[in-house]
Coordinates of all heavy atoms in Angstrom, one line a residue:
M1 N -3.1 -8.0 32.9 CA -4.0 -8.2 31.7 C -3.2 -9.0 30.7 O -2.1 -8.5 30.3 CB -4.5 -6.9 31.2 CG -5.3 -7.0 30.0 SD -6.0 -5.4 29.4 CE -7.5 -5.3 30.3
K2 N -3.7 -10.1 30.3 CA -3.0 -10.9 29.3 C -2.7 -10.1 28.0 O -1.6 -10.2 27.4 CB -3.9 -12.1 29.0 CG -3.2 -13.1 28.0 CD -4.1 -14.2 27.7 CE -3.5 -15.1 26.6 NZ -4.4 -16.2 26.3
R3 N -3.7 -9.3 27.6 CA -3.5 -8.6 26.3 C -2.4 -7.5 26.4 O -1.6 -7.3 25.5 CB -4.8 -7.9 25.9 CG -5.9 -8.9 25.5 CD -5.5 -9.7 24.3 NE -6.7 -10.5 23.9 CZ -6.6 -11.5 23.0 NH1 -5.4 -11.7 22.5 NH2 -7.6 -12.2 22.7
Q4 N -2.2 -6.9 27.6 CA -1.2 -6.0 27.8 C 0.2 -6.7 27.6 O 1.1 -6.1 27.0 CB -1.3 -5.3 29.1 CG -0.2 -4.2 29.3 CD -0.4 -3.4 30.6 OE1 -1.4 -3.5 31.3 NE2 0.7 -2.6 30.9
Q5 N 0.3 -7.8 28.2 CA 1.6 -8.6 28.0 C 1.8 -9.0 26.6 O 3.0 -8.9 26.1 CB 1.5 -9.9 28.9 CG 2.8 -10.6 28.9 CD 4.0 -9.8 29.3 OE1 4.0 -9.2 30.4 NE2 5.0 -9.7 28.5
Q6 N 0.8 -9.3 25.8 CA 0.9 -9.6 24.4 C 1.4 -8.4 23.6 O 2.3 -8.5 22.8 CB -0.4 -10.1 23.8 CG -0.7 -11.5 24.3 CD -2.1 -12.0 23.7 OE1 -3.1 -11.3 23.9 NE2 -2.0 -13.1 23.1
V7 N 0.8 -7.2 24.0 CA 1.3 -6.0 23.3 C 2.8 -5.7 23.7 O 3.6 -5.4 22.8 CB 0.4 -4.8 23.7 CG1 1.0 -3.5 23.3 CG2 -1.0 -4.9 23.1
A8 N 3.1 -5.9 24.9 CA 4.5 -5.7 25.4 C 5.4 -6.6 24.6 O 6.5 -6.2 24.2 CB 4.6 -5.9 26.9
D9 N 5.0 -7.9 24.4 CA 5.8 -8.8 23.7 C 6.0 -8.4 22.2 O 7.2 -8.5 21.7 CB 5.2 -10.2 23.7 CG 5.2 -10.8 25.1 OD1 6.0 -10.3 26.0 OD2 4.5 -11.8 25.3
V10 N 5.0 -7.9 21.6 CA 5.1 -7.4 20.2 C 6.0 -6.2 20.1 O 6.9 -6.2 19.2 CB 3.7 -7.0 19.7 CG1 3.8 -6.3 18.3 CG2 2.8 -8.3 19.5
L11 N 5.9 -5.3 21.1 CA 6.8 -4.2 21.1 C 8.3 -4.6 21.3 O 9.1 -4.1 20.6 CB 6.4 -3.2 22.2 CG 5.0 -2.6 22.1 CD1 4.7 -1.8 23.3 CD2 4.9 -1.7 20.8
R12 N 8.5 -5.5 22.2 CA 9.9 -6.0 22.4 C 10.4 -6.8 21.2 O 11.5 -6.5 20.7 CB 10.0 -6.8 23.7 CG 10.2 -6.0 24.9 CD 10.5 -6.9 26.1 NE 9.4 -7.8 26.5 CZ 8.4 -7.4 27.3 NH1 8.3 -6.1 27.6 NH2 7.5 -8.2 27.6
H13 N 9.6 -7.7 20.7 CA 10.0 -8.5 19.5 C 10.3 -7.7 18.3 O 11.3 -8.0 17.6 CB 8.9 -9.5 19.2 CG 9.2 -10.4 18.0 ND1 10.1 -11.4 18.1 CD2 8.7 -10.3 16.7 CE1 10.2 -12.0 16.9 NE2 9.4 -11.4 16.1
N14 N 9.6 -6.6 18.1 CA 9.8 -5.7 16.9 C 10.7 -4.5 17.3 O 10.8 -3.6 16.4 CB 8.5 -5.3 16.4 CG 7.7 -6.5 15.8 OD1 8.2 -7.1 14.8 ND2 6.6 -6.8 16.4
D15 N 11.3 -4.5 18.5 CA 12.1 -3.4 18.9 C 11.5 -2.0 18.7 O 12.1 -1.1 18.1 CB 13.5 -3.5 18.2 CG 14.5 -2.7 18.9 OD1 14.4 -2.5 20.1 OD2 15.5 -2.2 18.2
I16 N 10.2 -1.9 19.1 CA 9.5 -0.7 19.0 C 9.5 0.0 20.3 O 8.7 -0.3 21.2 CB 8.0 -0.9 18.6 CG1 8.0 -1.7 17.2 CG2 7.3 0.4 18.4 CD1 6.6 -2.2 16.9
D17 N 10.4 0.9 20.5 CA 10.6 1.7 21.7 C 10.4 3.2 21.4 O 11.1 3.7 20.5 CB 11.9 1.4 22.4 CG 12.1 2.0 23.7 OD1 11.0 2.2 24.4 OD2 13.2 2.4 24.1
T18 N 9.5 3.8 22.1 CA 9.3 5.2 21.8 C 8.8 5.9 23.1 O 8.3 5.2 24.0 CB 8.2 5.4 20.7 OG1 8.2 6.8 20.3 CG2 6.9 4.9 21.1
P19 N 9.1 7.2 23.3 CA 8.7 7.9 24.5 C 7.2 7.9 24.7 O 6.5 7.8 23.7 CB 9.3 9.3 24.3 CG 10.3 9.2 23.2 CD 9.9 8.0 22.4
P20 N 6.8 8.0 26.0 CA 5.3 8.0 26.2 C 4.6 9.1 25.5 O 3.4 8.9 25.1 CB 5.3 8.3 27.7 CG 6.6 7.8 28.3 CD 7.6 8.0 27.2
A21 N 5.2 10.3 25.3 CA 4.5 11.3 24.6 C 4.1 10.9 23.1 O 3.0 11.2 22.7 CB 5.4 12.6 24.5
Y22 N 5.0 10.1 22.5 CA 4.7 9.6 21.2 C 3.6 8.5 21.2 O 2.8 8.4 20.3 CB 6.0 9.1 20.5 CG 6.9 10.3 20.1 CD1 8.2 10.2 20.6 CD2 6.5 11.4 19.4 CE1 9.1 11.3 20.3 CE2 7.4 12.4 19.1 CZ 8.7 12.3 19.5 OH 9.5 13.4 19.2
R23 N 3.7 7.7 22.3 CA 2.6 6.7 22.4 C 1.3 7.4 22.6 O 0.3 6.9 22.0 CB 2.9 5.9 23.7 CG 4.1 5.0 23.6 CD 3.7 3.6 23.3 NE 5.0 2.8 23.2 CZ 5.4 2.2 22.1 NH1 4.7 2.2 21.0 NH2 6.5 1.5 22.2
L24 N 1.2 8.5 23.3 CA 0.0 9.2 23.5 C -0.5 9.8 22.2 O -1.7 9.7 21.8 CB 0.1 10.3 24.5 CG -1.1 11.2 24.7 CD1 -2.3 10.3 25.2 CD2 -0.9 12.3 25.7
L25 N 0.4 10.3 21.4 CA 0.0 10.8 20.1 C -0.5 9.7 19.2 O -1.5 9.9 18.4 CB 1.2 11.5 19.4 CG 1.7 12.8 20.0 CD1 3.0 13.2 19.3 CD2 0.6 13.8 19.8
D26 N 0.0 8.5 19.3 CA -0.5 7.3 18.6 C -1.9 7.0 19.0 O -2.8 6.7 18.2 CB 0.5 6.1 18.8 CG 0.2 5.0 17.8 OD1 -0.2 5.3 16.7 OD2 0.3 3.8 18.2
V27 N -2.2 7.0 20.3 CA -3.5 6.8 20.8 C -4.5 7.8 20.2 O -5.6 7.4 19.7 CB -3.6 6.9 22.4 CG1 -5.0 6.8 22.9 CG2 -2.8 5.7 23.0
V28 N -4.1 9.1 20.3 CA -5.0 10.1 19.7 C -5.2 10.0 18.2 O -6.3 10.1 17.7 CB -4.4 11.5 20.1 CG1 -5.2 12.6 19.4 CG2 -4.4 11.7 21.6
A29 N -4.1 9.6 17.5 CA -4.3 9.4 16.1 C -5.2 8.2 15.8 O -6.0 8.3 14.8 CB -2.9 9.1 15.5
E30 N -5.1 7.2 16.5 CA -6.0 6.0 16.3 C -7.5 6.4 16.6 O -8.4 6.0 15.9 CB -5.6 4.8 17.1 CG -4.2 4.2 16.7 CD -4.2 3.7 15.3 OE1 -5.2 3.5 14.7 OE2 -3.0 3.5 14.8
L31 N -7.7 7.2 17.6 CA -9.0 7.7 17.9 C -9.5 8.6 16.8 O -10.7 8.6 16.5 CB -9.1 8.4 19.3 CG -8.9 7.5 20.5 CD1 -8.8 8.3 21.8 CD2 -9.9 6.4 20.6
G32 N -8.6 9.4 16.3 CA -8.9 10.2 15.1 C -9.4 9.4 13.9 O -10.3 9.8 13.2
D33 N -8.7 8.3 13.7 CA -9.1 7.4 12.6 C -10.6 6.9 12.8 O -11.4 6.8 11.9 CB -8.2 6.2 12.5 CG -6.8 6.6 12.0 OD1 -6.7 7.7 11.4 OD2 -5.9 5.8 12.1
I34 N -10.9 6.6 14.1 CA -12.2 6.1 14.4 C -13.2 7.2 14.2 O -14.3 7.0 13.6 CB -12.3 5.6 15.9 CG1 -11.5 4.3 16.0 CG2 -13.7 5.4 16.3 CD1 -11.3 3.8 17.4
A35 N -12.9 8.4 14.6 CA -13.8 9.6 14.5 C -14.0 9.8 13.0 O -15.1 10.1 12.5 CB -13.2 10.8 15.1
A36 N -13.0 9.7 12.2 CA -13.1 9.9 10.7 C -14.0 8.9 10.1 O -14.9 9.3 9.3 CB -11.7 9.9 10.1
E37 N -13.9 7.7 10.6 CA -14.8 6.6 10.0 C -16.2 6.9 10.4 O -17.2 6.7 9.6 CB -14.3 5.3 10.5 CG -15.0 4.1 9.8 CD -14.3 2.8 10.0 OE1 -13.1 2.8 10.4 OE2 -14.9 1.8 9.8
V38 N -16.4 7.3 11.7 CA -17.8 7.7 12.1 C -18.4 8.8 11.2 O -19.5 8.8 10.8 CB -17.8 8.1 13.6 CG1 -19.1 8.7 14.0 CG2 -17.5 6.8 14.5
N39 N -17.6 9.8 11.0 CA -18.0 11.0 10.2 C -18.4 10.5 8.8 O -19.4 10.9 8.3 CB -16.9 12.0 10.1 CG -16.9 12.9 11.3 OD1 -17.9 13.1 12.0 ND2 -15.8 13.5 11.6
E40 N -17.5 9.7 8.2 CA -17.8 9.2 6.8 C -19.0 8.3 6.8 O -19.8 8.5 5.8 CB -16.5 8.5 6.3 CG -15.4 9.4 6.1 CD -14.1 8.7 5.8 OE1 -14.1 7.4 5.6 OE2 -13.0 9.3 5.9
T41 N -19.1 7.4 7.7 CA -20.3 6.4 7.6 C -21.6 7.0 7.9 O -22.6 6.5 7.5 CB -20.0 5.2 8.4 OG1 -19.9 5.5 9.8 CG2 -18.8 4.4 8.0
T42 N -21.6 8.1 8.7 CA -22.9 8.8 9.1 C -23.2 10.0 8.2 O -24.1 10.7 8.5 CB -22.9 9.2 10.6 OG1 -21.8 10.2 10.8 CG2 -22.7 8.0 11.5
G43 N -22.4 10.2 7.2 CA -22.6 11.4 6.4 C -22.4 12.7 7.2 O -23.1 13.6 7.2
Y44 N -21.3 12.6 8.0 CA -21.0 13.7 8.9 C -22.1 14.0 9.8 O -22.5 15.2 10.1 CB -20.5 14.9 8.2 CG -19.1 14.6 7.6 CD1 -19.0 14.0 6.3 CD2 -18.0 14.9 8.2 CE1 -17.8 13.6 5.8 CE2 -16.7 14.6 7.7 CZ -16.6 14.0 6.5 OH -15.4 13.6 6.0
G45 N -22.7 13.0 10.4 CA -23.8 13.1 11.4 C -25.2 13.2 10.9 O -26.1 13.3 11.7
T46 N -25.4 13.1 9.6 CA -26.7 13.3 9.0 C -27.5 12.0 9.1 O -28.8 12.0 9.1 CB -26.7 13.7 7.6 OG1 -26.0 12.8 6.8 CG2 -26.0 15.1 7.5
D47 N -26.9 10.8 9.3 CA -27.6 9.6 9.4 C -26.9 8.7 10.4 O -26.1 7.8 10.1 CB -27.6 8.9 8.0 CG -28.4 7.6 8.0 OD1 -29.1 7.3 9.1 OD2 -28.3 6.8 7.0
S48 N -27.3 8.9 11.7 CA -26.7 8.1 12.8 C -26.9 6.6 12.7 O -26.2 5.8 13.2 CB -27.1 8.6 14.1 OG -28.5 8.5 14.3
T49 N -28.0 6.2 12.0 CA -28.3 4.8 11.8 C -27.3 4.1 10.9 O -27.2 2.9 10.9 CB -29.7 4.6 11.3 OG1 -29.8 5.1 10.0 CG2 -30.8 5.2 12.2
A50 N -26.5 4.8 10.2 CA -25.5 4.3 9.3 C -24.2 4.1 9.9 O -23.2 3.7 9.3 CB -25.4 5.2 8.0
L51 N -24.1 4.4 11.2 CA -22.8 4.3 11.9 C -22.2 3.0 11.7 O -22.8 1.9 11.9 CB -23.1 4.6 13.4 CG -21.8 4.4 14.3 CD1 -20.8 5.5 14.0 CD2 -22.2 4.4 15.8
S52 N -20.9 3.0 11.4 CA -20.1 1.8 11.2 C -18.7 2.1 11.6 O -18.1 3.1 11.1 CB -20.2 1.3 9.8 OG -19.4 0.2 9.6
I53 N -18.1 1.2 12.4 CA -16.7 1.3 12.8 C -16.1 0.0 12.6 O -16.6 -1.0 13.2 CB -16.5 1.8 14.3 CG1 -17.2 3.1 14.5 CG2 -15.0 1.9 14.6 CD1 -17.3 3.5 16.0
R54 N -15.1 -0.1 11.8 CA -14.4 -1.4 11.6 C -13.7 -1.9 12.9 O -13.1 -1.1 13.6 CB -13.4 -1.3 10.5 CG -14.0 -1.1 9.1 CD -13.0 -1.1 7.9 NE -11.7 -0.8 8.3 CZ -11.1 0.3 8.0 NH1 -11.8 1.3 7.5 NH2 -9.8 0.5 8.3
E55 N -13.8 -3.2 13.1 CA -13.2 -3.8 14.3 C -11.7 -3.5 14.3 O -11.2 -3.3 15.4 CB -13.5 -5.3 14.3 CG -13.1 -6.0 15.5 CD -13.6 -7.4 15.5 OE1 -14.8 -7.7 15.7 OE2 -12.7 -8.3 15.4
D56 N -11.1 -3.6 13.2 CA -9.6 -3.4 13.2 C -9.2 -2.0 13.6 O -8.2 -1.8 14.2 CB -9.0 -3.8 11.8 CG -9.4 -2.8 10.7 OD1 -10.6 -2.5 10.6 OD2 -8.5 -2.4 10.0
E57 N -10.1 -1.0 13.4 CA -9.8 0.4 13.8 C -9.9 0.4 15.4 O -9.0 1.0 16.0 CB -10.8 1.4 13.2 CG -10.6 1.6 11.8 CD -9.3 2.3 11.4 OE1 -8.6 2.8 12.3 OE2 -8.9 2.4 10.2
L58 N -10.9 -0.2 15.9 CA -11.0 -0.3 17.4 C -9.8 -1.0 18.0 O -9.2 -0.7 19.0 CB -12.3 -0.9 17.8 CG -13.5 -0.1 17.5 CD1 -14.8 -0.9 17.7 CD2 -13.6 1.2 18.3
G59 N -9.4 -2.1 17.3 CA -8.2 -2.9 17.8 C -7.0 -2.1 17.8 O -6.1 -2.2 18.7
D60 N -6.8 -1.3 16.7 CA -5.6 -0.4 16.6 C -5.6 0.6 17.8 O -4.5 0.8 18.4 CB -5.6 0.4 15.3 CG -5.3 -0.5 14.1 OD1 -4.8 -1.6 14.3 OD2 -5.5 0.0 13.0
A61 N -6.7 1.1 18.2 CA -6.8 2.1 19.3 C -6.5 1.4 20.6 O -5.8 1.9 21.5 CB -8.2 2.7 19.3
L62 N -7.0 0.2 20.8 CA -6.7 -0.6 22.0 C -5.3 -1.0 22.1 O -4.7 -0.9 23.2 CB -7.6 -1.9 22.0 CG -9.1 -1.7 22.3 CD1 -9.9 -3.0 22.0 CD2 -9.3 -1.2 23.7
F63 N -4.7 -1.4 21.0 CA -3.2 -1.7 21.0 C -2.4 -0.5 21.4 O -1.5 -0.5 22.2 CB -2.8 -2.1 19.6 CG -1.4 -2.5 19.5 CD1 -0.9 -3.8 19.7 CD2 -0.4 -1.5 19.3 CE1 0.4 -4.2 19.7 CE2 1.0 -1.9 19.2 CZ 1.4 -3.2 19.4
A64 N -2.8 0.7 20.8 CA -2.0 1.9 21.1 C -2.2 2.3 22.6 O -1.2 2.7 23.3 CB -2.5 3.1 20.2
L65 N -3.4 2.1 23.2 CA -3.6 2.4 24.6 C -2.9 1.5 25.5 O -2.3 1.9 26.5 CB -5.1 2.4 24.9 CG -5.5 2.9 26.3 CD1 -5.0 4.3 26.5 CD2 -7.0 2.9 26.4
L66 N -2.9 0.2 25.1 CA -2.2 -0.8 25.9 C -0.7 -0.6 25.8 O 0.1 -0.8 26.8 CB -2.5 -2.2 25.5 CG -3.9 -2.7 25.9 CD1 -4.3 -4.0 25.3 CD2 -4.1 -2.7 27.5
A67 N -0.2 -0.1 24.7 CA 1.2 0.2 24.5 C 1.6 1.4 25.4 O 2.7 1.4 26.0 CB 1.6 0.5 23.1
L68 N 0.7 2.3 25.5 CA 1.0 3.5 26.4 C 1.0 3.0 27.8 O 1.9 3.4 28.6 CB -0.1 4.6 26.2 CG 0.0 5.8 27.1 CD1 1.3 6.5 26.9 CD2 -1.2 6.7 26.9
C69 N 0.1 2.2 28.2 CA 0.1 1.6 29.6 C 1.4 0.9 29.9 O 2.0 1.1 30.9 CB -1.1 0.7 29.8 SG -2.7 1.5 29.9
E70 N 1.8 0.1 28.9 CA 3.1 -0.6 29.1 C 4.2 0.4 29.3 O 5.1 0.2 30.1 CB 3.3 -1.5 27.9 CG 4.5 -2.4 28.0 CD 4.4 -3.4 29.2 OE1 3.3 -3.7 29.7 OE2 5.5 -3.9 29.6
Q71 N 4.3 1.4 28.4 CA 5.4 2.4 28.5 C 5.4 3.1 29.8 O 6.5 3.4 30.3 CB 5.2 3.4 27.3 CG 6.3 4.4 27.2 CD 7.6 3.8 26.7 OE1 7.6 2.9 25.8 NE2 8.7 4.2 27.2
L72 N 4.2 3.3 30.4 CA 4.2 4.1 31.6 C 4.2 3.2 32.9 O 4.0 3.7 34.0 CB 2.9 4.9 31.6 CG 2.8 6.1 30.6 CD1 1.4 6.7 30.6 CD2 3.9 7.1 30.8
D73 N 4.3 1.9 32.7 CA 4.3 0.9 33.7 C 3.0 1.0 34.5 O 2.9 0.9 35.7 CB 5.5 1.1 34.7 CG 6.8 0.7 34.1 OD1 6.8 -0.2 33.3 OD2 7.8 1.4 34.3
V74 N 1.9 1.1 33.8 CA 0.5 1.1 34.3 C -0.1 -0.2 34.0 O -0.1 -0.7 32.9 CB -0.3 2.3 33.7 CG1 -1.8 2.1 34.1 CG2 0.2 3.6 34.1
N75 N -0.6 -0.9 35.1 CA -1.3 -2.1 34.9 C -2.7 -1.8 34.3 O -3.5 -1.2 35.0 CB -1.4 -2.8 36.2 CG -2.1 -4.2 36.1 OD1 -3.2 -4.3 35.6 ND2 -1.5 -5.2 36.7
A76 N -2.9 -2.1 33.1 CA -4.2 -1.8 32.4 C -5.4 -2.4 33.1 O -6.4 -1.8 33.2 CB -4.1 -2.2 30.9
D77 N -5.2 -3.7 33.6 CA -6.3 -4.3 34.3 C -6.7 -3.6 35.5 O -7.9 -3.4 35.8 CB -5.9 -5.8 34.6 CG -7.1 -6.6 35.0 OD1 -8.1 -6.6 34.3 OD2 -6.9 -7.3 36.1
A78 N -5.7 -3.2 36.3 CA -6.0 -2.4 37.5 C -6.6 -1.1 37.2 O -7.5 -0.7 37.9 CB -4.7 -2.2 38.3
A79 N -6.1 -0.4 36.2 CA -6.7 0.9 35.8 C -8.1 0.7 35.3 O -9.0 1.5 35.7 CB -5.9 1.5 34.6
L80 N -8.4 -0.4 34.6 CA -9.8 -0.6 34.1 C -10.7 -1.0 35.3 O -11.8 -0.5 35.4 CB -9.8 -1.7 33.1 CG -11.2 -2.1 32.5 CD1 -11.9 -0.9 31.9 CD2 -11.1 -3.2 31.5
S81 N -10.2 -1.8 36.2 CA -10.9 -2.1 37.4 C -11.3 -0.9 38.2 O -12.4 -0.7 38.7 CB -10.2 -3.1 38.3 OG -10.0 -4.3 37.7
A82 N -10.4 0.0 38.4 CA -10.6 1.3 39.1 C -11.7 2.1 38.4 O -12.6 2.7 39.0 CB -9.3 2.1 39.3
A83 N -11.6 2.2 37.0 CA -12.6 2.9 36.3 C -14.0 2.3 36.4 O -15.0 3.0 36.5 CB -12.2 3.0 34.8
L84 N -14.0 0.9 36.3 CA -15.3 0.2 36.5 C -15.9 0.5 37.8 O -17.1 0.8 37.9 CB -15.1 -1.3 36.3 CG -14.9 -1.7 34.8 CD1 -14.5 -3.2 34.8 CD2 -16.2 -1.5 34.0
A85 N -15.1 0.5 38.9 CA -15.6 0.8 40.2 C -16.2 2.2 40.3 O -17.2 2.4 41.0 CB -14.5 0.6 41.2
K86 N -15.5 3.1 39.6 CA -16.0 4.5 39.6 C -17.3 4.6 38.9 O -18.2 5.4 39.3 CB -14.9 5.3 38.9 CG -15.0 6.8 39.1 CD -13.8 7.6 38.7 CE -13.2 7.2 37.4 NZ -12.2 8.2 36.9
Y87 N -17.5 3.9 37.8 CA -18.8 4.0 37.0 C -19.9 3.1 37.6 O -21.1 3.5 37.4 CB -18.5 3.5 35.6 CG -17.8 4.6 34.7 CD1 -16.5 4.6 34.6 CD2 -18.6 5.5 34.1 CE1 -15.9 5.6 33.8 CE2 -18.0 6.5 33.3 CZ -16.6 6.5 33.2 OH -16.0 7.5 32.4
E88 N -19.6 2.0 38.2 CA -20.7 1.1 38.7 C -21.5 1.8 39.8 O -21.0 2.3 40.7 CB -20.1 -0.2 39.3 CG -19.6 -1.1 38.2 CD -18.9 -2.3 38.7 OE1 -18.5 -2.4 39.9 OE2 -18.6 -3.2 37.9
G89 N -22.8 1.8 39.5 CA -23.7 2.4 40.5 C -23.7 3.9 40.5 O -24.5 4.5 41.3
Q90 N -22.9 4.6 39.7 CA -22.9 6.0 39.7 C -23.7 6.5 38.5 O -23.7 5.9 37.4 CB -21.5 6.6 39.6 CG -20.7 6.3 40.8 CD -19.3 7.0 40.6 OE1 -19.0 7.7 39.7 NE2 -18.4 6.8 41.6
S91 N -24.4 7.6 38.6 CA -25.0 8.3 37.5 C -25.0 9.8 37.7 O -25.0 10.3 38.8 CB -26.4 7.8 37.2 OG -27.2 8.1 38.3
G92 N -24.9 10.5 36.6 CA -24.9 11.9 36.6 C -26.3 12.5 36.9 O -27.3 11.7 37.1
S93 N -26.4 13.7 37.0 CA -27.7 14.4 37.4 C -28.7 14.1 36.3 O -29.9 14.2 36.6 CB -27.5 15.9 37.6 OG -27.0 16.5 36.4
D94 N -28.3 13.8 35.1 CA -29.3 13.5 34.1 C -29.6 12.0 33.9 O -30.3 11.6 33.0 CB -28.9 14.1 32.7 CG -27.6 13.5 32.2 OD1 -27.0 12.6 32.9 OD2 -27.1 13.9 31.1
G95 N -29.1 11.2 34.8 CA -29.4 9.8 34.8 C -28.5 9.0 33.9 O -28.7 7.8 33.8
T96 N -27.5 9.6 33.3 CA -26.5 8.9 32.5 C -25.3 8.5 33.3 O -25.0 9.2 34.3 CB -26.1 9.7 31.2 OG1 -25.6 10.9 31.7 CG2 -27.4 10.0 30.4
P97 N -24.6 7.5 32.9 CA -23.3 7.1 33.6 C -22.4 8.3 33.7 O -22.2 9.1 32.7 CB -22.8 6.0 32.8 CG -23.9 5.4 32.1 CD -24.8 6.6 31.8
A98 N -21.7 8.5 34.8 CA -20.8 9.6 35.0 C -19.5 9.0 35.7 O -19.6 8.1 36.5 CB -21.4 10.7 35.8
S99 N -18.4 9.6 35.5 CA -17.2 9.1 36.1 C -17.0 9.7 37.5 O -16.1 9.2 38.2 CB -16.0 9.5 35.2 OG -15.8 10.9 35.2
G100 N -17.7 10.7 37.8 CA -17.6 11.3 39.1 C -16.5 12.4 39.1 O -16.2 13.0 40.1
D101 N -15.8 12.6 38.0 CA -14.8 13.6 37.9 C -15.3 14.9 37.3 O -16.2 14.9 36.5 CB -13.6 13.1 37.0 CG -12.8 12.0 37.7 OD1 -12.9 11.9 39.0 OD2 -12.2 11.2 37.0

């Protein structure tokens, strides 16, 4: 995945090396930022039509996840392809997409 390589380049260029556990904490923190924004923009769920998530927040979460993939030597493109294959044509008992797990 081209983007994973770009993230790897940024990490190397800026000498950002950290253990996978800290990378995972970064992913979770970024997702927490997204959740906080959802809570704030929807009045803590009272107005779902007001939902707003800034693109840069989603970008931060993607960066953190790709950095984790890079740290674990996981090919993000292959992992996404496997996930897509799992979701394509599958649905749960209620007719919604399901991972099968």
